[in-house]
Amino acid sequence: MLSSFVSAAFAGLLLSTTTALPLAKRDFTGPVITTDFPDPSIIKVGDTWYAFGTQSVYDYTNVKIQLASSTDFVNWNLQASYDALGNLPSWAEAGQVWAPDVFQRKDGSFIMYFSATTNTAGNGAYHCFGTATSNNIAGPYYSNTDTPFACPTDQGGTIDASAFQDVDGSLYVLYKIDANSKGHGGVCGNTVDPIVSTPIMIQKVEVDGTTKIGDPTDILSNGQYDGPLVEAPSMARSGDGTYILYFSSNCYSTDSYDTSYATGPSPTGPFTKTQYPLLVTGTNGVYGPGGADIDVDSSHMAFHAYVTKGDVGGRRAMYTARVRFSGGTVSF
């Protein structure tokens, strides 16, 4: 698969290869991409892993959705200057596009969920997410609708969509209500009382990944220890039938940003947050680790983090990890 899309879509394109720098454990590796590659999502097709990343404001700034690939989950090839997303739909403003997630549909095609600034309300303050499709994992992906998937601008909009397929084939889309865009100020716009809720929602959909079944369900929100928000949901199901909802809390541009998780008996919960986050500043020497995505195998994970304290608020590198779930606890 990789060789075919390199020859077809990347002819003459320089590939930037990054060799991972192993940390304390083989199960926790990185940075595997050292340029700015925030909010990575991962998917394995055939023998190749693919990672999609947010548009950078530092590197390859004209690329709306970044793409990297790996055959061993350790050494990654960044497809420098290649844009996995075609033209933006009419509801989206040009500028930063972020938090992509790609899922392979039943018919073999691929659907991408992506967030962008909406021009429908808010004068650039609100964001929504939409969908794009491709018959090739590498894309490019093109919008399959002129309307966003979810765009409640009266609540602040939506971001950070991700797909989850249950063992019975049921398909869901998770996302965050971006209500901190309507907050009362402070860090990430929402540390001044009264703190607004930024719930994570789950929406059941048909096999096409876009047709909604019923109404969305609120499954988690920010609490006392989450700072201004919870966001970046990614769901997995363990072998014992426990559903694990990974999410980030606190503000992405600070070293307080983390990756936490909650567990529940079904995709719609109820979910109970664990006492301690999975990833925090200091975990294997990283700063502000968040935006994690878990693969359908419930084991392979990618996330971004600042490499040094001096990087906080700037470039976010991609790291990978292998996680396991036992006795109600996720560990490396």
Side-chain angles (χ1 to χ4, degrees), residues 1 35 50 66 120 164 194 211 228 235 308 332:
M1 180 69 73
T35 53
Y50 298 86
Q66 301 186 75
T120 61
F164 169 71
T211 303
M235 186 175 287
T308 70
F332 296 110

Side-chain angles (χ1 to χ4, degrees), residues 6-199:
V6 168
S7 60
F10 300 111
L13 196 63
L14 176 65
L15 302 186
S16 173
T17 302
T18 300
T19 300
L21 304 176
L23 296 180
K25 297 181 179 180
R26 179 75 173 186
D27 287 345
F28 190 112
T29 309
V32 296
I33 297 176
T34 56
T35 53
D36 191 42
F37 200 90
D39 308 313
S41 71
I42 52 173
I43 180 173
K44 189 177 186 183
V45 179
D47 295 325
T48 302
W49 288 95
Y50 298 86
F52 296 83
T54 281
Q55 184 172 10
S56 173
V57 297
Y58 302 100
D59 309 303
Y60 313 111
T61 57
N62 292 326
V63 175
K64 297 183 291 298
I65 296 296
Q66 301 186 75
L67 174 65
S69 61
S70 173
T71 56
D72 60 8
F73 206 65
V74 175
N75 301 292
W76 290 80
N77 295 322
L78 175 65
Q79 313 302 328
S81 301
Y82 173 72
D83 196 339
L85 182 63
N87 294 336
L88 289 173
S90 59
W91 60 265
E93 290 187 0
Q96 193 176 18
V97 180
W98 69 97
D101 187 75
V102 172
F103 175 79
Q104 187 168 23
R105 301 190 290 189
K106 187 176 181 179
D107 65 1
S109 66
F110 300 88
I111 184 167
M112 174 187 287
Y113 302 90
F114 64 93
S115 303
T117 302
T118 180
N119 56 28
T120 61
N123 294 319
Y126 302 145
H127 312 98
C128 300
F129 78 91
T131 57
T133 58
S134 174
N135 288 324
N136 189 324
I137 178 60
Y141 290 76
Y142 292 96
S143 179
N144 59 332
T145 174
D146 290 330
T147 58
F149 183 99
C151 194
T153 54
D154 59 323
Q155 300 176 59
T158 57
I159 61 171
D160 294 352
S162 66
F164 169 71
Q165 188 167 39
D166 206 352
V167 290
D168 65 356
S170 298
L171 185 59
Y172 300 85
V173 178
L174 299 97
Y175 58 92
K176 170 208 175 186
I177 298 292
D178 200 28
N180 52 298
S181 64
K182 284 182 170 289
H184 300 95
V187 178
C188 269
N190 194 29
T191 54
V192 175
D193 290 335
I195 306 300
V196 299
S197 175
T198 64

Side-chain angles (χ1 to χ4, degrees), residues 212-295:
K212 300 170 187 174
I213 301 173
D215 295 323
T217 301
D218 178 343
I219 56 174
L220 197 80
S221 194
N222 46 318
Q224 178 181 359
Y225 302 107
D226 296 313
L229 52 81
V230 290
E231 62 185 14
S234 184
M235 186 175 287
R237 183 183 186 274
S238 71
D240 68 2
T242 301
Y243 293 81
I244 308 165
L245 174 61
Y246 296 93
F247 64 94
S248 286
S249 60
N250 295 293
C251 188
Y252 74 95
S253 60
T254 72
D255 60 8
S256 296
Y257 203 53
D258 61 45
T259 296
S260 297
Y261 64 98
T263 58
S266 77
T268 55
F271 283 93
T272 301
K273 296 175 185 175
T274 57
Q275 185 175 3
Y276 302 108
L278 177 66
L279 295 165
V280 296
T281 289
T283 304
N284 283 78
V286 301
Y287 294 81
D293 185 49
I294 189 74
D295 184 60

